[in-house]
Amino acid sequence: MTTVTVTVTATAELLTVPEVMARLKVGRSKVYDLIRSRRLVSIKIDGARRIPAAAVRDFVLGQIEEAA
């Protein structure tokens, strides 16, 4: 089991799946695939999936680094 330490501030912006879809310009199933494969960090709040905006930024930066 892998332990992940995340620092979250009170001002951390949490995005919904549709908001992430719009930012990444991908479909719903692709967002859930990224979450399932742990390439995109997410949390559940009372059954609602939320993705920190920083996680989306980190994902995009990682993709850019891989492409370079």
Side-chain angles (χ1 to χ4, degrees), residues 9-50:
T9 64
T11 59
E13 182 183 11
L14 297 175
L15 305 172
T16 63
V17 169
E19 290 170 330
V20 174
M21 290 167 51
R23 287 187 183 203
L24 296 179
K25 309 234 184 323
V26 298
R28 179 179 179 273
S29 48
K30 184 60 180 179
V31 173
Y32 280 107
D33 180 52
L34 292 171
I35 292 168
R36 213 174 3 265
S37 65
R38 298 180 182 215
R39 293 172 64 201
L40 187 61
V41 175
S42 72
I43 60 171
K44 275 185 127 177
I45 302 174
D46 292 332
R49 184 67 61 184
R50 296 293 180 258

